[in-house]
Amino acid sequence: MKHKAINVGLIGLGRIGKMHANNISQKLPFINLKSVIDPAPDLEFIQNLGPVESYINEDDVLYDNNIDAVIIASPTPTHYELIKKSIKHKKHVFCEKPVSFSKKEIKEIIEISSGCDTLIQIGLNRRFDQDFIMLKDKIKNGLVGKIHMIHITNHDASIPKFKFLKSSGGMLFDLCIHDFDMLNFLTAEKIKEIYVNGNVFIEPRLKEIDDIDSAIITLELESGVLCSIDSSRQTHFGYDQRVEVFGSKGMVSVKNKSENLSFYSNEKHTMKSKKQYSFIERYQDSYIKELEHFYSCVSSGNKPIAGLENILTAIKVSAAGEKSMQTNNPEMVKL
Amino acid sequence: MKHKAINVGLIGLGRIGKMHANNISQKLPFINLKSVIDPAPDLEFIQNLGPVESYINEDDVLYDNNIDAVIIASPTPTHYELIKKSIKHKKHVFCEKPVSFSKKEIKEIIEISSGCDTLIQIGLNRRFDQDFIMLKDKIKNGLVGKIHMIHITNHDASIPKFKFLKSSGGMLFDLCIHDFDMLNFLTAEKIKEIYVNGNVFIEPRLKEIDDIDSAIITLELESGVLCSIDSSRQTHFGYDQRVEVFGSKGMVSVKNKSENLSFYSNEKHTMKSKKQYSFIERYQDSYIKELEHFYSCVSSGNKPIAGLENILTAIKVSAAGEKSMQTNNPEMVKL
Amino acid sequence: MKHKAINVGLIGLGRIGKMHANNISQKLPFINLKSVIDPAPDLEFIQNLGPVESYINEDDVLYDNNIDAVIIASPTPTHYELIKKSIKHKKHVFCEKPVSFSKKEIKEIIEISSGCDTLIQIGLNRRFDQDFIMLKDKIKNGLVGKIHMIHITNHDASIPKFKFLKSSGGMLFDLCIHDFDMLNFLTAEKIKEIYVNGNVFIEPRLKEIDDIDSAIITLELESGVLCSIDSSRQTHFGYDQRVEVFGSKGMVSVKNKSENLSFYSNEKHTMKSKKQYSFIERYQDSYIKELEHFYSCVSSGNKPIAGLENILTAIKVSAAGEKSMQTNNPEMVKL
Amino acid sequence: MKHKAINVGLIGLGRIGKMHANNISQKLPFINLKSVIDPAPDLEFIQNLGPVESYINEDDVLYDNNIDAVIIASPTPTHYELIKKSIKHKKHVFCEKPVSFSKKEIKEIIEISSGCDTLIQIGLNRRFDQDFIMLKDKIKNGLVGKIHMIHITNHDASIPKFKFLKSSGGMLFDLCIHDFDMLNFLTAEKIKEIYVNGNVFIEPRLKEIDDIDSAIITLELESGVLCSIDSSRQTHFGYDQRVEVFGSKGMVSVKNKSENLSFYSNEKHTMKSKKQYSFIERYQDSYIKELEHFYSCVSSGNKPIAGLENILTAIKVSAAGEKSMQTNNPEMVKL
């Protein structure tokens, strides 16, 4: 075998942590899941992973000399400290977005990490989705000419539990951050200005914590390109993930992924397959590809293509968006 | 024959005037086109219409006792005076949108006409489009539940000549006014707030006259419903006219109309039919239906469903949008 | 007006006769419907047509010197005699398909008509459908290269009444004849061989009269091109009318026409518009275009493009298909 | 780990053998590829599989006591002997279709295997495709009512090399056998009668060996259901794999799988993604699922759901189809 496997420890076994664990044990033969850390471990789930050590304290990973890298999938507020510790213990880091709600903290980590060999990749998985990569290529190859407008639709199928929402950092930091990064990914431009008109239609308790569940967002890129995002926490009908890029020569778009290839017509209706239901299904391949990329960077020492700079760029937009909601005016993004 | 035909005079034989003339002579047997008025009449075109009188002065219609109604399709700046004169001469009026760029003028006409029997219908043709009517019905029947968001895409296939653009009143008054009215039509709500981010990508000379050719518009309805409009003057690929209404139970949408039913697959591509190219093709039926409605109102004395109040409501949004572009802030619509 | 109207008499006011009557009175200004003939006239329907004479005997049309042409939409068994009489009375003829179930009778009419100036057009309306014309053009322009296979789907939305079915000549003569003609139209080739496997699934009484309501038909064209037809009398879900032409370079196809442009997604389903329901809706334009062509031929003296030769070619295939059903073997078409 | 891995030997490293090898090493953690057998082994390919033994003689697998099962992916003419030997050496068997072109040989293997514990699964992979399984479920759940007709489209993207075609057993045994089995899978009915009209359009040398590259096939099931298959060896535009099941209540269909989710519109065209190119892409998941099923059967001792009886049923149809081509008449399938 030409490939040398790496040993990883996974911190956090929530929904996304479990997905990474399954992907590693079933689909990523060159990543060896040595340990999992969770304060309240789901033993049945862990047993099904095969031979893996289970701990409740992260030190059991950080002090383990046989572990090359950590995958951080614990709640966002823990990320900042965990990354700093990982750097200290010379573990490469794959960390879920958004890392931190504070630009200062992310900048600090960038500074610390810049002086050492530790590689840090952020879970901006959509950058590894074949359809968005293809879209970026088409733009690059001139199919739309000069870009005029971009429209993104980003609706979750069903709203997460209120407990999760409370610690999520808010819709702009948790959900729309993917779209802010997507605009940067597709155009290689930064966002200059943001205006957010948000509302609470789905989960009334969000009002108490100054969050929203639905938003229409207008953005302007550095070059003047106009962007709009329609986003919400719940469609009921599936995961609604579309992008349209409109320019001087035409339009390229990415449509939704259907669950299956079937059609049905009867006296009353003509039906096609539903859309895929969740990010886990729609972005299934990208979650695997991002870890393959991480493996490849750790093996070769190359810097990951989805790094702290990218999440910092997106976090700045989320922060300006939050301000826009407070002032009800467009706000410049501090670059 | 049960139907009694009405005699009409058509003022203005530009692109849309000619379309009305053809529709009347070919597809509206109960409307008799008695006279056409144009300062520079296209004689070949008129001859093909059949037996119709051609004049260059509107008085030849207004003073003609055999004429029941006038159809006003001359440039917008002439509408205000023509409607007032028509009322004076007791001619029913079908007038193209937007009637006037001044709320004051429209209000004045509303006042004058309210005291008399003259019926006034405005060319808000999309209210007569079967697909938008069906969309409205589906909303009314509860298919989307409580509305959360509406997204409208409104792109012309090719930008009109600069000469037309100069007298069009600007993109918000000329093109987007259809969308402002559509929101009102679909929801029976008024628009409360508007934010416009516009730019010039297609016709640089628009900068000289403070107009735009591309815009992303955020609107909020009275009840808090969030709306976005992506609009531009030129797609190259066809007339892009889509509406998505998203609510607590699901989404209903109206997609583009294809030119034909053909598909083609070869070694390189999988192709489907292009979109229909212009408003004349996409809204072909609605232009006929709005005149059938006008005929029916004139015959019965009923008030048309697309009247001065509707255009006034939409003009107020255009005006607030214009202010939003100047202040670069969201603006309240003066109700 | 440049056009000189022609006067026509319409014989037969069944479903298709009424459709022609409406088209003429509403959409064909250059054809004047002078008289209608029906043994049991629907007076309310006729009154709505405007000023038209109503008779029960065809002689009131045939002996009327002011009538230029007759449109024959009475039951098929009457066509042969009516055409012969019309020729005798020097009336041009537009006759619904299939004219006759007997090749001998059609050949006789061809012979009689070849010696005189009477124009005879057959109601092979699909030859006037813009989508099939476009398909033919694409084939001609080489988009599919050399044709290998053609697949036609031809299902009615709902089965006609048994009374109609009994006098229809059978499914091959009444319904599939359109497909046999379509193959000839698209390829300019004749059909060499036919194999029919038919069955009765929908209307059991068809067994008593040796007819079928469902069939899979294999055909071979003169050059060896392979064709298949899936056909039935009832889908419940709409009129299913598709053609796929597959060749050395790719495939072109014509899909179904939707009733509208709407889409709807909810928790359970993703739905699109139903297909158009009947031939009257799907082929609406072609029924108008075929009469415009008839008008144009009568006005100019040109021979119609859908003539007796075309129906004879198709009838021969129907007859061979009928024999194939009896022998349960493929049968050569007698050219 | 709950699962106990099984050791397999893979015989034959052609296109499909390599695909199985990759699937096992990358995606099937519970199947351990111990040995591969190929007379001319592709060493670079084998090295990339990881630690696997490479031999040129099948005895190195058959006499290996540590091997539980063999996967036979060598040319069809070798299958008969290999299965018999595997049974003798008590190895479970996964064998690619069609096993043999002789009904007698398959019957003989059925007889031998019926007396012993060796499990035999046949590579009828489409039975494991999620879309066809869903189609079968929809039929079972009554969505189409009583089935009337089934139409299958089965076109390869590009014709295999002539060398392969010569040993493939012919188009009916190699390609269409999947469709014969699909009809049996979907309906749980056997095929009663077959009529094949085939031709050579793509590879002229096929005429020399009495084979075809294009066929239209009519089939009748035991209950009278009518079926048609359009099949060819080359589309150029991708792998065309569609099924339509039409019944008394409606139609369910499975359409083609697109390579990606992108759409592109410009001045000339409206384009969507190409279809997936080959069986390896279209049926990717089913090739994994069939081996998961095989693993599960070997582990539990259950009989595989795609067995010798299924391939025998399909081979009988191929044989009757071959006869139909010779007689140019429909032929009964000998049940």
Side-chain angles (χ1 to χ4, degrees):
Chain A
M1 191 161 20
K2 292 194 298 191
H3 298 283
K4 192 174 160 285
I6 61 169
N7 289 321
V8 302
L10 170 62
I11 302 175
L13 276 181
R15 192 172 179 200
I16 202 149
K18 282 181 174 171
M19 183 200 69
H20 285 311
N22 279 330
N23 282 345
I24 292 171
S25 73
Q26 287 164 29
K27 295 179 180 164
L28 292 157
F30 308 127
I31 302 183
N32 177 36
L33 185 58
K34 186 165 186 288
S35 314
V36 294
I37 308 291
D38 198 82
D42 177 341
L43 295 178
E44 195 188 333
F45 175 81
I46 293 168
Q47 208 176 7
N48 273 315
L49 291 173
V52 58
E53 302 160 30
S54 170
Y55 304 104
I56 60 168
N57 190 309
E58 69 233 30
D59 286 352
D60 286 308
V61 158
L62 297 172
Y63 284 87
D64 181 342
N65 286 329
N66 291 318
I67 279 183
D68 303 295
V70 296
I71 294 173
I72 301 174
S74 49
T76 304
T78 65
H79 292 183
Y80 168 68
E81 285 300 335
L82 280 172
I83 297 180
K84 287 208 295 183
K85 281 188 192 171
S86 301
I87 294 173
K88 205 171 141 191
H89 287 87
K90 294 186 191 307
K91 307 295 187 208
H92 299 296
V93 175
F94 179 95
C95 183
E96 273 308 315
K97 33 103 340 212
V99 178
S100 167
F101 310 129
S102 148
K103 290 178 283 185
K104 205 173 137 266
E105 286 183 359
I106 300 179
K107 280 177 184 167
E108 189 194 331
I109 300 174
I110 292 178
E111 199 143 310
I112 297 169
S113 69
S114 70
C116 62
D117 294 339
T118 311
L119 299 170
I120 300 181
Q121 182 175 335
I122 308 304
L124 294 163
N125 65 298
R126 297 186 194 179
R127 286 178 176 253
F128 296 89
D129 177 79
Q130 74 143 339
D131 288 297
F132 293 127
I133 291 170
M134 212 174 271
L135 180 60
K136 187 186 168 83
D137 285 348
K138 283 179 174 168
I139 294 168
K140 220 170 162 180
N141 294 335
L143 264 76
V144 297
K146 193 182 166 310
I147 300 177
H148 295 172
M149 288 192 200
I150 301 177
H151 179 61
I152 296 181
T153 305
N154 180 14
H155 297 284
D156 250 343
S158 55
I159 193 161
K161 289 178 182 160
F162 188 57
K163 196 188 145 188
F164 169 84
L165 292 172
K166 276 198 289 188
S167 70
S168 75
M171 186 167 146
L172 296 178
F173 283 87
D174 178 53
L175 182 61
C176 303
I177 200 163
H178 280 297
D179 307 316
F180 304 150
D181 183 58
M182 183 54 61
L183 291 172
N184 179 231
F185 173 67
L186 292 176
T187 64
E189 274 197 60
K190 289 200 173 152
I191 292 162
K192 190 169 71 185
E193 196 190 61
I194 179 169
Y195 170 65
V196 180
N197 194 339
N199 209 336
V200 174
F201 291 120
I202 302 158
E203 168 54 89
R205 286 177 290 177
L206 286 169
K207 286 180 185 166
E208 302 162 17
I209 56 170
D210 274 333
D211 198 1
I212 53 172
D213 56 31
S214 304
I216 281 178
I217 304 172
T218 305
L219 306 112
E220 192 175 322
L221 304 188
E222 286 170 302
S223 70
V225 168
L226 298 172
C227 310
S228 67
I229 299 171
D230 289 9
S231 188
S232 86
R233 288 286 194 182
Q234 182 160 281
T235 64
H236 295 297
F237 58 77
Y239 199 39
D240 196 354
Q241 300 280 302
R242 289 170 286 153
V243 178
E244 289 181 0
V245 180
F246 176 87
S248 59
K249 282 191 189 165
M251 182 170 72
V252 285
S253 61
V254 170
K255 305 219 167 168
N256 281 313
K257 205 162 187 168
S258 292
E259 280 180 356
N260 57 66
L261 306 173
S262 76
F263 286 73
Y264 175 47
S265 304
N266 66 8
E267 206 161 344
K268 288 198 184 147
H269 298 303
T270 295
M271 281 168 273
K272 42 185 289 197
S273 162
K274 290 190 64 176
K275 305 305 169 201
Q276 289 194 328
Y277 198 71
S278 74
F279 60 88
I280 290 193
E281 288 146 14
R282 168 64 181 86
Y283 293 119
Q284 187 177 11
D285 288 340
S286 72
Y287 285 114
I288 294 165
K289 290 231 166 63
E290 67 177 0
L291 287 186
E292 284 176 347
H293 179 69
F294 182 59
Y295 165 79
S296 149
C297 289
V298 169
S299 298
S300 66
N302 288 335
K303 211 183 154 189
I305 60 166
L308 287 162
E309 292 75 12
N310 301 114
I311 197 70
L312 180 61
T313 297
I315 283 287
K316 285 174 177 171
V317 182
S318 298
E322 203 167 50
K323 198 177 163 199
S324 167
M325 284 181 60
Q326 286 153 11
T327 62
N328 191 29
N329 278 331
E331 296 292 336
M332 302 301 284
V333 178
K334 278 172 195 138
L335 298 179
Chain B
M1 187 158 25
K2 293 192 297 190
H3 299 283
K4 190 172 162 287
I6 60 170
N7 290 322
V8 302
L10 170 62
I11 303 176
L13 275 180
R15 193 174 178 199
I16 200 146
K18 283 180 173 172
M19 183 201 67
H20 286 310
N22 279 329
N23 281 345
I24 292 170
S25 72
Q26 288 163 28
K27 295 176 182 168
L28 292 156
F30 308 127
I31 302 182
N32 177 34
L33 186 60
K34 184 166 189 285
S35 312
V36 295
I37 308 292
D38 197 82
D42 177 341
L43 295 177
E44 196 188 332
F45 174 83
I46 293 167
Q47 208 176 7
N48 273 317
L49 291 174
V52 57
E53 301 160 30
S54 169
Y55 303 104
I56 59 169
N57 191 308
E58 67 235 28
D59 286 351
D60 288 306
V61 160
L62 297 172
Y63 285 88
D64 182 341
N65 286 329
N66 290 319
I67 278 184
D68 304 294
V70 296
I71 294 173
I72 302 175
S74 50
T76 303
T78 66
H79 293 183
Y80 168 69
E81 285 299 338
L82 281 172
I83 295 180
K84 287 206 297 182
K85 282 188 191 170
S86 300
I87 294 171
K88 204 170 142 192
H89 287 85
K90 295 185 193 303
K91 306 296 186 208
H92 300 296
V93 175
F94 178 95
C95 181
E96 274 307 316
K97 31 106 336 215
V99 179
S100 166
F101 311 127
S102 148
K103 289 178 283 185
K104 203 171 139 268
E105 287 183 0
I106 300 178
K107 281 177 184 167
E108 188 193 332
I109 300 173
I110 290 178
E111 199 142 313
I112 297 170
S113 69
S114 70
C116 62
D117 294 338
T118 311
L119 300 170
I120 301 181
Q121 182 175 335
I122 309 304
L124 293 163
N125 64 297
R126 295 185 195 180
R127 286 178 174 254
F128 297 89
D129 176 77
Q130 74 143 339
D131 289 298
F132 293 127
I133 291 170
M134 210 173 273
L135 180 60
K136 186 186 170 83
D137 284 347
K138 284 179 173 169
I139 294 168
K140 222 171 162 180
N141 294 335
L143 265 76
V144 298
K146 192 182 168 307
I147 301 178
H148 295 171
M149 290 192 198
I150 301 177
H151 179 62
I152 296 181
T153 306
N154 180 12
H155 297 284
D156 250 344
S158 55
I159 194 162
K161 285 178 185 163
F162 188 58
K163 197 188 147 189
F164 169 83
L165 291 172
K166 275 197 291 188
S167 71
S168 74
M171 185 167 149
L172 296 179
F173 283 87
D174 177 52
L175 182 61
C176 303
I177 200 162
H178 280 296
D179 306 316
F180 304 150
D181 183 58
M182 183 54 60
L183 291 172
N184 179 229
F185 173 67
L186 292 176
T187 65
E189 276 196 60
K190 288 197 174 157
I191 292 162
K192 190 169 71 184
E193 196 190 63
I194 179 169
Y195 170 65
V196 180
N197 194 340
N199 208 336
V200 174
F201 291 121
I202 302 157
E203 168 55 270
R205 284 176 292 177
L206 286 169
K207 286 179 185 169
E208 300 162 19
I209 57 170
D210 274 331
D211 197 1
I212 53 173
D213 54 32
S214 304
I216 280 177
I217 304 173
T218 304
L219 305 113
E220 192 175 321
L221 304 188
E222 287 169 301
S223 69
V225 168
L226 299 172
C227 310
S228 67
I229 299 170
D230 290 8
S231 188
S232 86
R233 287 287 196 184
Q234 181 160 284
T235 65
H236 293 299
F237 57 79
Y239 200 37
D240 196 354
Q241 299 281 302
R242 288 170 285 154
V243 178
E244 289 180 2
V245 180
F246 176 88
S248 60
K249 283 192 189 164
M251 182 170 72
V252 286
S253 61
V254 171
K255 304 220 167 169
N256 281 314
K257 205 160 188 169
S258 292
E259 280 179 358
N260 57 65
L261 305 173
S262 75
F263 286 72
Y264 176 46
S265 303
N266 67 6
E267 205 161 347
K268 289 198 183 147
H269 298 302
T270 295
M271 281 167 273
K272 42 187 289 196
S273 161
K274 289 190 68 177
K275 306 305 169 201
Q276 287 193 329
Y277 197 72
S278 75
F279 59 89
I280 291 194
E281 288 146 16
R282 167 64 182 84
Y283 293 119
Q284 187 176 13
D285 288 339
S286 73
Y287 284 115
I288 293 165
K289 291 232 164 64
E290 66 175 3
L291 287 185
E292 284 176 347
H293 179 71
F294 183 60
Y295 165 78
S296 149
C297 289
V298 168
S299 299
S300 65
N302 289 334
K303 211 183 155 191
I305 59 167
L308 287 163
E309 292 74 12
N310 300 114
I311 198 72
L312 180 60
T313 298
I315 283 285
K316 285 174 179 172
V317 182
S318 298
E322 201 167 53
K323 196 176 163 201
S324 167
M325 284 182 58
Q326 286 154 11
T327 63
N328 190 32
N329 279 330
E331 295 292 337
M332 300 302 285
V333 177
K334 279 176 195 134
L335 298 180
Chain C
M1 190 158 21
K2 293 193 297 192
H3 299 282
K4 192 174 161 287
I6 61 170
N7 290 322
V8 302
L10 170 63
I11 302 175
L13 275 181
R15 191 171 180 201
I16 201 146
K18 283 180 173 172
M19 183 200 68
H20 285 311
N22 280 328
N23 281 346
I24 291 170
S25 73
Q26 289 163 27
K27 296 178 179 165
L28 291 158
F30 308 127
I31 302 182
N32 178 36
L33 185 59
K34 188 167 187 285
S35 313
V36 293
I37 308 293
D38 197 81
D42 175 341
L43 294 177
E44 195 188 333
F45 174 83
I46 293 167
Q47 208 175 8
N48 274 316
L49 290 173
V52 58
E53 301 159 30
S54 170
Y55 303 104
I56 58 167
N57 190 310
E58 69 234 28
D59 286 350
D60 287 306
V61 160
L62 296 172
Y63 285 86
D64 181 342
N65 286 328
N66 290 319
I67 279 184
D68 303 294
V70 296
I71 295 174
I72 301 173
S74 49
T76 303
T78 66
H79 293 183
Y80 168 69
E81 285 298 338
L82 282 171
I83 297 181
K84 287 206 296 182
K85 282 188 190 171
S86 301
I87 294 172
K88 204 169 141 193
H89 288 86
K90 294 187 194 302
K91 307 296 185 206
H92 299 295
V93 175
F94 177 96
C95 182
E96 274 307 317
K97 34 106 329 216
V99 179
S100 166
F101 312 128
S102 145
K103 291 178 282 185
K104 201 170 140 269
E105 285 182 359
I106 301 179
K107 280 179 184 166
E108 187 194 332
I109 300 174
I110 291 178
E111 199 141 313
I112 297 170
S113 69
S114 70
C116 63
D117 292 337
T118 312
L119 299 170
I120 301 179
Q121 182 176 336
I122 309 304
L124 294 163
N125 64 298
R126 297 187 193 177
R127 286 180 174 252
F128 296 89
D129 176 79
Q130 74 145 339
D131 289 297
F132 294 126
I133 291 170
M134 210 173 274
L135 180 60
K136 187 186 168 86
D137 284 348
K138 284 179 173 167
I139 294 168
K140 220 170 160 179
N141 293 334
L143 264 76
V144 297
K146 194 183 167 307
I147 301 177
H148 295 171
M149 287 191 200
I150 301 177
H151 179 61
I152 296 181
T153 306
N154 181 14
H155 297 285
D156 250 342
S158 53
I159 193 162
K161 287 180 182 158
F162 188 58
K163 195 189 144 187
F164 170 83
L165 292 173
K166 275 197 290 187
S167 72
S168 74
M171 184 168 149
L172 296 179
F173 284 86
D174 177 53
L175 182 61
C176 303
I177 200 163
H178 280 296
D179 307 315
F180 304 149
D181 184 56
M182 183 55 60
L183 290 172
N184 179 231
F185 173 67
L186 292 176
T187 64
E189 275 196 58
K190 290 198 174 156
I191 293 163
K192 191 170 67 184
E193 194 191 62
I194 180 169
Y195 170 65
V196 179
N197 193 339
N199 208 336
V200 174
F201 292 120
I202 302 158
E203 169 55 89
R205 285 176 292 177
L206 286 169
K207 285 180 187 168
E208 302 161 18
I209 57 169
D210 274 332
D211 198 0
I212 52 171
D213 54 33
S214 304
I216 282 179
I217 305 172
T218 304
L219 306 111
E220 192 175 321
L221 305 187
E222 287 169 302
S223 70
V225 168
L226 298 172
C227 310
S228 68
I229 299 170
D230 289 8
S231 188
S232 86
R233 286 287 194 183
Q234 182 160 281
T235 66
H236 294 297
F237 58 79
Y239 199 40
D240 195 355
Q241 298 281 302
R242 290 170 284 154
V243 178
E244 291 180 0
V245 180
F246 176 88
S248 59
K249 282 190 187 166
M251 181 171 73
V252 287
S253 61
V254 170
K255 304 220 170 170
N256 280 314
K257 205 161 188 168
S258 292
E259 279 180 359
N260 57 66
L261 306 173
S262 76
F263 286 73
Y264 176 46
S265 303
N266 66 6
E267 206 160 345
K268 288 200 186 144
H269 297 304
T270 296
M271 280 168 274
K272 42 187 291 195
S273 160
K274 289 189 67 177
K275 304 307 169 201
Q276 288 193 328
Y277 198 73
S278 74
F279 60 88
I280 290 193
E281 288 146 14
R282 167 64 181 86
Y283 293 118
Q284 188 177 12
D285 288 339
S286 72
Y287 285 114
I288 294 165
K289 290 232 165 66
E290 65 175 4
L291 286 185
E292 284 176 347
H293 179 71
F294 183 59
Y295 165 78
S296 149
C297 289
V298 169
S299 299
S300 65
N302 287 334
K303 208 184 158 191
I305 61 167
L308 287 162
E309 292 75 11
N310 301 115
I311 198 72
L312 180 60
T313 298
I315 284 286
K316 284 174 179 172
V317 182
S318 298
E322 204 167 51
K323 194 175 164 202
S324 167
M325 283 180 61
Q326 287 154 8
T327 63
N328 191 30
N329 279 329
E331 294 292 336
M332 301 302 284
V333 178
K334 280 175 193 136
L335 299 179
Chain D
M1 187 158 27
K2 293 193 298 191
H3 299 284
K4 192 172 160 287
I6 59 170
N7 289 320
V8 301
L10 170 63
I11 302 175
L13 277 180
R15 194 174 177 198
I16 201 148
K18 283 179 172 172
M19 184 201 66
H20 285 310
N22 280 328
N23 282 345
I24 292 171
S25 71
Q26 288 163 29
K27 293 176 181 167
L28 291 158
F30 308 126
I31 302 182
N32 177 36
L33 185 59
K34 186 166 187 283
S35 312
V36 294
I37 308 292
D38 198 84
D42 176 339
L43 295 177
E44 196 187 331
F45 174 82
I46 294 169
Q47 209 176 7
N48 273 316
L49 291 174
V52 58
E53 301 160 31
S54 170
Y55 302 104
I56 58 169
N57 191 308
E58 68 235 29
D59 287 350
D60 287 307
V61 159
L62 297 172
Y63 285 87
D64 182 342
N65 286 328
N66 291 318
I67 279 182
D68 303 295
V70 296
I71 294 173
I72 301 174
S74 48
T76 302
T78 66
H79 292 183
Y80 168 68
E81 286 297 337
L82 281 172
I83 297 181
K84 288 206 294 181
K85 281 187 191 173
S86 300
I87 295 173
K88 202 170 142 192
H89 288 85
K90 295 185 192 302
K91 307 297 185 206
H92 299 297
V93 175
F94 178 96
C95 181
E96 274 307 318
K97 33 98 343 206
V99 179
S100 167
F101 310 129
S102 148
K103 291 178 281 183
K104 202 171 138 268
E105 286 182 358
I106 300 179
K107 282 178 183 169
E108 187 193 333
I109 300 173
I110 290 179
E111 197 142 315
I112 297 171
S113 68
S114 69
C116 62
D117 294 338
T118 311
L119 301 169
I120 300 180
Q121 183 176 332
I122 309 304
L124 294 162
N125 63 298
R126 295 185 195 180
R127 284 178 175 252
F128 296 88
D129 177 79
Q130 76 143 338
D131 288 298
F132 294 126
I133 290 170
M134 210 172 271
L135 180 59
K136 186 187 170 82
D137 284 348
K138 284 179 173 167
I139 294 168
K140 221 170 160 178
N141 294 333
L143 265 76
V144 297
K146 192 180 168 312
I147 301 177
H148 295 172
M149 288 193 199
I150 302 178
H151 179 62
I152 296 181
T153 307
N154 179 14
H155 296 285
D156 250 342
S158 55
I159 193 162
K161 287 180 184 158
F162 188 58
K163 196 189 146 187
F164 169 84
L165 293 172
K166 275 196 292 186
S167 70
S168 74
M171 187 169 148
L172 296 179
F173 284 87
D174 177 52
L175 181 60
C176 303
I177 200 162
H178 281 295
D179 307 315
F180 304 150
D181 183 57
M182 181 56 59
L183 291 171
N184 178 228
F185 173 67
L186 292 174
T187 64
E189 275 196 59
K190 289 198 173 157
I191 293 163
K192 190 168 70 183
E193 194 190 65
I194 179 169
Y195 170 64
V196 180
N197 193 339
N199 208 336
V200 174
F201 291 121
I202 303 159
E203 168 55 90
R205 284 177 292 177
L206 286 169
K207 286 180 188 169
E208 301 161 19
I209 57 169
D210 273 330
D211 198 1
I212 53 172
D213 54 33
S214 304
I216 282 179
I217 304 172
T218 303
L219 306 111
E220 192 175 323
L221 304 188
E222 286 169 301
S223 70
V225 168
L226 298 173
C227 310
S228 67
I229 299 169
D230 289 8
S231 188
S232 85
R233 289 286 196 182
Q234 181 160 281
T235 66
H236 294 299
F237 58 80
Y239 198 40
D240 197 353
Q241 299 282 301
R242 290 171 282 155
V243 177
E244 291 180 359
V245 179
F246 176 88
S248 59
K249 283 192 187 165
M251 181 172 71
V252 287
S253 61
V254 170
K255 303 220 170 170
N256 281 314
K257 205 160 189 169
S258 292
E259 280 179 359
N260 57 67
L261 306 172
S262 76
F263 285 73
Y264 175 47
S265 303
N266 66 7
E267 205 159 346
K268 289 199 185 145
H269 299 303
T270 295
M271 280 168 275
K272 44 186 290 196
S273 162
K274 290 190 66 178
K275 305 307 170 201
Q276 288 194 328
Y277 198 71
S278 74
F279 60 89
I280 290 193
E281 287 146 13
R282 168 64 182 84
Y283 293 118
Q284 188 177 11
D285 288 339
S286 71
Y287 285 116
I288 293 165
K289 290 231 165 63
E290 65 176 2
L291 287 185
E292 285 176 346
H293 179 72
F294 182 58
Y295 165 78
S296 149
C297 289
V298 169
S299 297
S300 64
N302 289 334
K303 212 185 155 188
I305 59 166
L308 287 162
E309 291 74 12
N310 301 115
I311 198 71
L312 179 61
T313 298
I315 283 287
K316 284 174 179 170
V317 182
S318 299
E322 202 167 52
K323 195 174 165 202
S324 168
M325 284 182 59
Q326 285 154 10
T327 63
N328 191 31
N329 279 330
E331 295 292 335
M332 301 302 284
V333 177
K334 278 174 195 136
L335 298 179

